[in-house]
Short mmCIF file of all heavy atoms in Angstrom, two decimals:
data_model
loop_
_atom_site.label_atom_id
_atom_site.label_comp_id
_atom_site.label_asym_id
_atom_site.label_seq_id
_atom_site.Cartn_x
_atom_site.Cartn_y
_atom_site.Cartn_z
N LYS B 84 2.54 4.00 -21.58
CA LYS B 84 3.51 5.05 -21.61
C LYS B 84 4.82 4.54 -22.15
O LYS B 84 5.12 3.34 -22.02
CB LYS B 84 3.79 5.70 -20.22
CG LYS B 84 2.57 6.25 -19.59
CD LYS B 84 2.19 7.54 -20.15
CE LYS B 84 0.95 8.12 -19.39
NZ LYS B 84 0.45 9.34 -20.10
N ARG B 86 9.01 4.48 -21.81
CA ARG B 86 9.77 4.52 -20.57
C ARG B 86 10.16 6.00 -20.31
O ARG B 86 10.19 6.36 -19.20
CB ARG B 86 11.11 3.76 -20.77
CG ARG B 86 10.95 2.27 -20.77
CD ARG B 86 12.18 1.44 -20.80
NE ARG B 86 12.85 1.46 -19.51
CZ ARG B 86 12.50 0.59 -18.49
NH1 ARG B 86 11.62 -0.28 -18.53
NH2 ARG B 86 13.20 0.77 -17.24
N GLU B 87 10.37 6.77 -21.40
CA GLU B 87 10.79 8.16 -21.19
C GLU B 87 9.59 8.96 -20.51
O GLU B 87 9.80 9.71 -19.65
CB GLU B 87 11.21 8.83 -22.52
CG GLU B 87 12.42 8.26 -23.21
CD GLU B 87 12.24 6.83 -23.65
OE1 GLU B 87 11.09 6.45 -24.04
OE2 GLU B 87 13.24 6.09 -23.61
N GLU B 88 8.45 8.69 -21.04
CA GLU B 88 7.30 9.43 -20.45
C GLU B 88 7.11 8.95 -19.00
O GLU B 88 6.84 9.82 -18.10
CB GLU B 88 6.03 9.00 -21.14
CG GLU B 88 5.84 9.60 -22.56
CD GLU B 88 4.72 9.05 -23.39
OE1 GLU B 88 4.35 7.85 -23.15
OE2 GLU B 88 4.22 9.78 -24.25
N PHE B 89 7.18 7.68 -18.66
CA PHE B 89 7.05 7.21 -17.38
C PHE B 89 8.04 7.85 -16.40
O PHE B 89 7.73 8.19 -15.29
CB PHE B 89 7.04 5.65 -17.31
CG PHE B 89 6.44 5.03 -16.17
CD1 PHE B 89 5.15 4.57 -16.23
CD2 PHE B 89 7.08 4.98 -14.89
CE1 PHE B 89 4.47 4.00 -15.07
CE2 PHE B 89 6.41 4.47 -13.77
CZ PHE B 89 5.13 3.93 -13.88
N GLU B 90 9.30 7.80 -16.79
CA GLU B 90 10.38 8.30 -16.05
C GLU B 90 10.22 9.86 -15.73
O GLU B 90 10.55 10.29 -14.59
CB GLU B 90 11.70 7.96 -16.58
CG GLU B 90 12.14 6.45 -16.38
CD GLU B 90 13.27 5.99 -17.15
OE1 GLU B 90 13.81 6.73 -17.92
OE2 GLU B 90 13.57 4.77 -17.04
N ARG B 91 9.63 10.63 -16.62
CA ARG B 91 9.31 11.93 -16.38
C ARG B 91 8.18 12.06 -15.33
O ARG B 91 8.31 12.94 -14.42
CB ARG B 91 8.87 12.63 -17.64
CG ARG B 91 8.97 14.16 -17.49
CD ARG B 91 8.73 14.77 -18.89
NE ARG B 91 7.47 14.48 -19.43
CZ ARG B 91 7.28 13.92 -20.62
NH1 ARG B 91 8.39 13.73 -21.43
NH2 ARG B 91 6.14 13.67 -21.15
N MET B 92 7.23 11.20 -15.36
CA MET B 92 6.20 11.19 -14.25
C MET B 92 6.83 10.89 -12.91
O MET B 92 6.42 11.52 -11.87
CB MET B 92 5.12 10.15 -14.60
CG MET B 92 4.19 10.51 -15.81
SD MET B 92 3.00 9.21 -16.18
CE MET B 92 1.76 9.69 -14.98
N ILE B 93 7.74 9.91 -12.80
CA ILE B 93 8.46 9.70 -11.58
C ILE B 93 9.12 10.89 -11.13
O ILE B 93 8.95 11.34 -9.96
CB ILE B 93 9.44 8.52 -11.73
CG1 ILE B 93 8.80 7.14 -12.13
CG2 ILE B 93 10.34 8.31 -10.52
CD1 ILE B 93 9.64 6.06 -12.53
N GLU B 94 9.89 11.55 -11.92
CA GLU B 94 10.70 12.71 -11.53
C GLU B 94 9.85 13.82 -11.08
O GLU B 94 10.15 14.52 -10.11
CB GLU B 94 11.48 13.23 -12.74
CG GLU B 94 12.77 12.49 -13.03
CD GLU B 94 13.35 12.83 -14.46
OE1 GLU B 94 13.15 13.91 -14.92
OE2 GLU B 94 14.03 11.86 -15.03
N GLN B 95 8.68 14.03 -11.69
CA GLN B 95 7.79 15.07 -11.29
C GLN B 95 6.79 14.70 -10.15
O GLN B 95 5.87 15.37 -9.86
CB GLN B 95 7.09 15.58 -12.49
CG GLN B 95 8.00 16.16 -13.54
CD GLN B 95 7.31 16.73 -14.76
OE1 GLN B 95 6.17 16.63 -14.97
NE2 GLN B 95 8.13 17.44 -15.59
N ASP B 96 7.05 13.57 -9.52
CA ASP B 96 6.27 13.10 -8.39
C ASP B 96 4.79 13.00 -8.70
O ASP B 96 4.03 13.37 -7.91
CB ASP B 96 6.52 13.92 -7.17
CG ASP B 96 6.27 13.25 -5.88
OD1 ASP B 96 6.28 11.99 -5.90
OD2 ASP B 96 6.05 13.89 -4.86
N GLU B 97 4.42 12.53 -9.92
CA GLU B 97 3.00 12.48 -10.31
C GLU B 97 2.43 11.08 -10.03
O GLU B 97 1.26 10.78 -10.32
CB GLU B 97 2.91 12.78 -11.78
CG GLU B 97 3.25 14.25 -12.11
CD GLU B 97 3.15 14.50 -13.64
OE1 GLU B 97 2.78 13.60 -14.35
OE2 GLU B 97 3.62 15.60 -14.00
N LEU B 98 3.24 10.17 -9.38
CA LEU B 98 2.72 8.82 -9.17
C LEU B 98 2.55 8.50 -7.72
O LEU B 98 3.46 8.78 -6.89
CB LEU B 98 3.67 7.86 -9.80
CG LEU B 98 3.81 7.96 -11.38
CD1 LEU B 98 4.99 7.06 -11.86
CD2 LEU B 98 2.52 7.44 -12.02
N LEU B 99 1.41 7.90 -7.37
CA LEU B 99 1.17 7.55 -5.99
C LEU B 99 2.14 6.49 -5.60
O LEU B 99 2.54 6.35 -4.41
CB LEU B 99 -0.25 7.09 -5.85
CG LEU B 99 -0.82 6.73 -4.47
CD1 LEU B 99 -0.76 7.95 -3.63
CD2 LEU B 99 -2.29 6.36 -4.65
N GLU B 100 2.37 5.55 -6.50
CA GLU B 100 3.30 4.48 -6.30
C GLU B 100 3.71 4.05 -7.72
O GLU B 100 3.00 4.24 -8.73
CB GLU B 100 2.72 3.24 -5.63
CG GLU B 100 1.39 2.71 -6.21
CD GLU B 100 1.59 1.84 -7.49
OE1 GLU B 100 2.54 1.05 -7.41
OE2 GLU B 100 0.78 1.89 -8.37
N TRP B 101 4.85 3.44 -7.80
CA TRP B 101 5.34 2.90 -9.03
C TRP B 101 6.33 1.72 -8.74
O TRP B 101 6.80 1.70 -7.61
CB TRP B 101 5.96 3.91 -9.96
CG TRP B 101 7.21 4.48 -9.44
CD1 TRP B 101 7.29 5.59 -8.56
CD2 TRP B 101 8.54 3.99 -9.64
NE1 TRP B 101 8.62 5.83 -8.24
CE2 TRP B 101 9.37 4.84 -8.95
CE3 TRP B 101 9.14 2.95 -10.32
CZ2 TRP B 101 10.80 4.69 -8.81
CZ3 TRP B 101 10.55 2.84 -10.24
CH2 TRP B 101 11.31 3.70 -9.60
N TYR B 108 7.62 -0.80 -16.11
CA TYR B 108 7.14 0.05 -15.12
C TYR B 108 5.55 -0.02 -14.92
O TYR B 108 4.84 -0.14 -15.94
CB TYR B 108 7.42 1.54 -15.43
CG TYR B 108 8.88 2.00 -15.24
CD1 TYR B 108 9.54 2.64 -16.27
CD2 TYR B 108 9.46 1.78 -14.00
CE1 TYR B 108 10.83 3.07 -16.12
CE2 TYR B 108 10.78 2.23 -13.81
CZ TYR B 108 11.51 2.84 -14.92
OH TYR B 108 12.75 3.29 -14.65
N THR B 111 0.58 4.38 -10.38
CA THR B 111 -0.76 5.03 -10.23
C THR B 111 -0.65 6.47 -10.18
O THR B 111 -0.08 7.04 -9.29
CB THR B 111 -1.43 4.49 -8.83
OG1 THR B 111 -1.37 3.09 -8.85
CG2 THR B 111 -2.76 5.03 -8.66
N PRO B 112 -1.28 7.12 -11.19
CA PRO B 112 -1.28 8.62 -11.16
C PRO B 112 -2.04 9.11 -9.86
O PRO B 112 -3.08 8.69 -9.55
CB PRO B 112 -2.11 8.91 -12.38
CG PRO B 112 -1.91 7.81 -13.30
CD PRO B 112 -1.86 6.66 -12.43
N ALA B 113 -1.25 9.95 -9.14
CA ALA B 113 -1.77 10.30 -7.75
C ALA B 113 -2.96 11.29 -7.73
O ALA B 113 -3.88 11.17 -6.95
CB ALA B 113 -0.58 10.92 -6.91
N LYS B 114 -2.85 12.28 -8.72
CA LYS B 114 -3.81 13.40 -8.64
C LYS B 114 -5.25 12.95 -8.68
O LYS B 114 -6.18 13.32 -7.98
CB LYS B 114 -3.54 14.29 -9.80
CG LYS B 114 -4.18 15.66 -9.71
CD LYS B 114 -3.86 16.50 -11.00
CE LYS B 114 -4.93 17.66 -11.05
NZ LYS B 114 -4.96 18.21 -12.48
N LYS B 141 1.74 5.64 2.29
CA LYS B 141 1.18 6.98 2.06
C LYS B 141 -0.27 6.99 2.62
O LYS B 141 -0.75 8.13 2.92
CB LYS B 141 1.24 7.37 0.62
CG LYS B 141 2.64 7.50 0.12
CD LYS B 141 2.69 8.10 -1.36
CE LYS B 141 4.07 8.15 -1.88
NZ LYS B 141 4.18 8.66 -3.22
#
Side-chain angles (χ1 to χ4, degrees):
Chain B
K84 303 283 180 188
R86 289 189 75 85
E87 292 69 32
E88 287 169 334
F89 201 100
E90 284 167 359
R91 197 172 55 235
M92 291 178 82
I93 295 172
E94 279 166 29
Q95 297 184 352
D96 204 22
E97 292 176 9
L98 297 166
L99 186 56
E100 54 78 36
W101 64 271
Y108 285 128
T111 304
K114 192 182 163 201
K141 296 192 186 177

